[in-house]
Amino acid sequence: MRRPLRTVATALAALLAAGALAACTSDSGSAEDFCAQVKQVPSLETVLSRFSEADPDVLQDRIDKARNAYDGLAAAAPDEIGDETDQVVSLVDAILSAVEENPADPAKAAAQLRTAMADHKGVDADRAAVAAYAQQECDVQLDATLSDGVGATTTSSTTSTTEVDTIITAPSTTTTSAGG
């Protein structure tokens, strides 16, 4: 009866090898895929707004959907922006995890967030590159920076960890006004 086990093992090995080859040949997305996906990612501000007051099930659903959307963005990124997108998505995942692990304690979430930011040195340049690519290739504006005037451009108050807002914010089609 060893023959059926050997046949199953051989078939399994062949499937694994085929899967590995497929993964190697399609390991990057395209500008078109990226542009479609970038319009699907929610802003972290929206996902995490007032998280300590949110119903735990609703918060978890928002986190899960955001994580899936950002993972999709990383998968859709073409080679030219892939590494930068991976770094931004890695930080987004760390931010989501900080809130997920401390849903009722903004202070602990903020401490974990600061650690995540320290662990992702250079992410500002990655974030800027992703935002520039989205603007140039997709005509989508990401990253409306809120760090200079905390609260000055927002209509509602959120947690004191505004670093979340500056990672990547809701995509919007660009209709920028030059007036001030």
Side-chain angles (χ1 to χ4, degrees), residues 52-134:
S52 63
E53 300 169 14
D55 175 89
D57 292 334
V58 171
L59 177 62
Q60 188 62 54
D61 184 56
R62 290 189 325 217
I63 289 171
D64 291 343
K65 287 178 180 175
R67 187 171 276 133
N68 286 335
Y70 281 97
D71 287 346
L73 183 66
D79 285 340
E80 62 195 276
I81 196 72
D83 290 341
E84 293 87 348
T85 304
D86 287 345
Q87 290 302 313
V88 171
V89 171
S90 174
L91 179 56
V92 167
D93 188 55
I95 292 167
L96 294 173
S97 292
V99 172
E100 190 173 42
E101 293 167 15
N102 303 287
D105 193 339
K108 283 186 180 178
Q112 191 170 333
L113 175 60
R114 282 189 292 277
T115 300
M117 294 294 290
D119 291 343
H120 287 83
K121 290 183 174 143
V123 78
D124 286 339
D126 296 327
R127 179 180 47 93
V130 171
Y133 185 87

Side-chain angles (χ1 to χ4, degrees), residues 11 13 34 59 63 73 122 138 144 148 157:
F34 180 87
L59 177 62
I63 289 171
L73 183 66
C138 312
D148 292 334
S157 61

